[in-house]
Amino acid sequence: MAVIDRPAPPAPPPPTQTPASRWGRIRYRARVLLAEPTTLIGIALVLIFGYLVIAPLVAIVSDAARVQFGDDSRAGAPAGSLTGYYLWRVFRSPISASLFWEPLSHTVVVGLGVVVFAVVLGGSMAWLVTRTNVPGRKFLAGALVVPYMLPSWTFALAWLTLFKNNRSGGTPGFLETWGVQTPDWLAYGAVPIIVTLGLHYYPFVFLLFGNALRRIDSQLEESARVLGANRSQGMRHVVLPLLLPSLSSAVLLVLGRVLGTFGTPYILGLPTDYAMLSTSLYRSIHTRAPGVAAVIAAVIVLLGVLVVLIDMRLVREQRRFVTIGGKGSMDRATDLRRWRWPAYGLAMAVFVTSVVVPLVTLALSTVTYAPGVFRADNFTLKFWTAESIPEAVGFPHGLLRSGDLYEAMWNSLRIVGMAALVCGLVGLMVGYVVARSPSRRLSGTLRQVSFLPYLVPGIAFAAAYLTLFAVPRGPIPALYGTTLLLVVVMAITHLPYSSRSGISAMMQLGREPEEAAQVAGAGWLTRLRRIVLPIQKGALTTGVLLPFISGLKELSIVIMLTTASTPLLTTLSINLVDFGYRQQANAAVLIIAALSFTVTYLAQRATRSNLATGLGG
Amino acid sequence: MPNIELIGVDKSYVAGQYAVRDLHLTIPDGGFMCLLGPSGCGKTTTLRMIAGLEQPTRGDIRVGSRLLDSVGQGLFVPPEKRGMGLVFQSYALWPHMTVTRNVEFGLMMRKTPTAQRAQRAAEAMEMLHIADYAARYPSQLSGGQQQRVALARMLAVDPEVMLLDEPLSNLDARLRLEMRAEIKRIHQRSHATVVLVTHDQLEAMTMATHVTVMNEGVVEQTGTPMEVYERPASVFVAQFVGSPPMNTMPFGSADVAGPGATVADYVAARVGRPPTDGTGGVRPEALHIAYADADVPDGVWRAPAVVDTVLPTGSAWTVQLRCHGEPLYVQSYRKIETTPGAEVTLWAAASDLHVFDADGRRMTGWDQFLREQRSGQRPAAGPAVASGSGR
Ligand SMILES: Nc1ncnc2c1ncn2[C@@H]1O[C@H](COP(=O)(O)OP(=O)(O)O)[C@@H](O)[C@H]1O
Ligand SMILES: [Mg+2]
């Protein structure tokens, strides 16, 4: 009998295979990585970003801890040696109150105030627009985002134009002309700053909160109701817990923004010496106290990091809820019944207050001699078009007649355009490397490094760059005052947004279209040129336009880094404010707003998308 | 036109977990190889390694005399230099190019002169009946048309190696039949070496000249479709190839009654007792129903059974029966005259029985017995055994 429980004979001996030595494996891996430049580009990006983000922060810390040039007698040590002098000066000295503690408490007060204001306004508007049958929801959904597209200090200028009193010089306010003497607390300081910043930032809450509301399936609430919960119990036990993460996220983002905002506290705080951290930082730099500035900037960075870290924790929490989101929640809107039209009125009032009133006020102020007087003989176009305005010594002509405007406009378009272009391309490149690199470690590192600038409020970044590039460092010459520096800073601060959208665009594309081209014989550059870029045209356009729009309105960064030789639209308008030429300043802001609107509108037409939702800057 | 050889190839995406393990595979020159296996068994990974889109963790890949990957020697030829053709499961057409430009792309990369390029692209589109859509964009085409464009894109460059990843899985049944014939025709015309990945055994059986059945990253069997069907090397292959799948009957321990035990007895009477944990198998189409004992031929394996249900499929009848409580299937192309509950006898010829050992591998002893029997060295029917029916 045959022995049958023997397994099938082994396969014939395999053809000779090269034994895999450790060295061979390493060489193989290297060959694979170097077969195309993705890896090298990735490494280069990590190094460049690392330098551009980390080096300035190191410079801040080093400046804060070393005796600055010219401070040697006061610090009692030679320039360059380690010292605790600046820490003492900022935190403990007799002037620490005005340098740091007051600005800090003002920042906290304003931050909380703005958060409350923005949450109440943005939250209620979000609820009205997404969960009720208020008339004109579609219009409101777009209109209530508009304030976010205006430069943030538009509201501050409009406020001054309305409520200014005779404490500060220059053109009087509307109320002043009408004989009403506004109290200081209404004209300057905390109250107006909170209101104007709140008007600027509520769309932020409106968008984030609205998205969360939209994602919540009304069936969840209904299930609770069916199980016997009354309306407010359903709200408390089901809806609110689901909304909380996005709400706190919005709150922290607003806080982060307020921390780094400069224009509004500068305009509304200066007349009563109401300083926030950002303006205190600016003042220290302006009065050439780089050591003190470095300490304040470091504090701002720390606070910014704190806010983002908390936010990241909460966003992680929020992700747990995302799967809960169902569809078709919108068709079950709360019927407001007889409150429909009053609610509509309220929403329109918010729109009018936050968009129409400021813009109309500014516009009127630029075409009248005496503000607030609407008689035919009081109207004039001279602030726009006059050949010469002798009484305005610093800016003796109508805005449109001045070469300065066109120079500033050209500078803005050129510099912001360049930064936006760099930002969009680099963002897509980051996305490409993250999605395609065969090395997981590299793509992870790059993703994290490109996110770093998000941690640092813009104004602290600018201060850091100032510190870093005011003098030559190693092979890098002093870049202060150059266009290059502005382009680099603007690009870097917008990098997190453009990388994020680049990554998601590349991930969405998947790798197969490119692989198909690769198998067909296309080398790396050909693939990039013929496959990736054409397919990503839309994403690239958005990736360029978003930084461009937000860069046009950017003030806190450029105020630190521009010099008289490269004025931008935003710095021009702040200069005019400094001079007290209210009409021309307002006109300049209107031009910025108009530019920003036009570009946004054209961009939306071109990309057929709603850019507002992606506006990050 | 070259052999494709994979020599000792491992691939792990995550350290310690193998997507493909110790793969030795030779795809003969001009052959049509189907990689067949359930989802997640490493077919796509293998195909992508051949294309160069994925890199082995260990091992060599060569095409003809050309070494494309050698982890040992540190040698790697990037995909764009391999000159192969690949059809993706998702087609991966370029959305920003018209059909013509999609098809021409490979030729353009090969720097074919314009006139010739247009002609070759036109030929490829003609061959796949998509010439009418030449100016359209992929988004304006149906799934079947996109599939044809993907094939035309590959054909236009006339590659020596054609790789197809489940090309038919997104098509409806009729279209699938049509494209099966189309792909087979393409292969016969071009004499290219084709590797096609599929989880559909029918696809593999109908198109391929060779089939490799994979399971959990390991090759279970390689052979012609007929070999794989007639002599499955393992229980896994036996169950994966063929529809409905082969009836497999674990032998169980000696005192447990079951159809497996009757097979074990039957085999024992002829070549010695198989191991207790082995498995017997018989294909539904090789299993016959007898209504009377007289109808059962001499010397065959037999077992009593009760009819459960009859499932007519139109061209055939599938009958589910219970044999010692275990379900078995019979496939018949003649009408089955029976009703549920009827007591019948099942039988199968010795040559239709498959015997597997405790590890699920095919046992050679039984095959050898059958061979000897066929060549007349053994009596046609072994000693008569009361095969199980007496239990
Ligand atoms: N890019 C990848 N990263 C990690 N694991 C992967 C990747 N691609 C495939 N795998 C894993 O490798 C195994 C084989 O996958 P695949 O080759 O796609 O199977 P098939 O094509 O046979 O369905 C699966 O377990 C899958 O999860
Ligand atoms: Mg697959």
Side-chain angles (χ1 to χ4, degrees), chain A residues 444-517:
Chain A
T445 312
L446 185 57
R447 190 197 283 259
Q448 280 161 2
V449 170
S450 67
F451 177 75
L452 277 181
Y454 190 68
L455 300 170
V456 184
I459 194 159
F461 227 115
Y465 267 70
L466 193 61
T467 315
L468 186 62
F469 293 114
V471 294
R473 304 240 178 190
I476 296 157
L479 292 174
Y480 177 61
T482 60
T483 310
L484 179 66
L485 186 61
L486 273 175
V487 170
V488 168
V489 180
M490 282 199 171
I492 280 284
T493 47
H494 285 104
L495 186 68
Y497 307 101
S498 58
S499 314
R500 203 172 46 183
S501 63
I503 290 171
S504 79
M506 288 307 301
M507 290 288 191
Q508 211 169 3
L509 173 61
R511 51 186 189 178
E512 289 191 346
E514 204 193 333
E515 285 177 350

Side-chain angles (χ1 to χ4, degrees), chain B residues 38-45 89 165-166 197-199:
Chain B
S39 163
C41 71
K43 309 177 299 281
T44 299
T45 302
Q89 186 171 4
D165 190 358
E166 311 219 9
V197 160
T198 180
H199 64 262

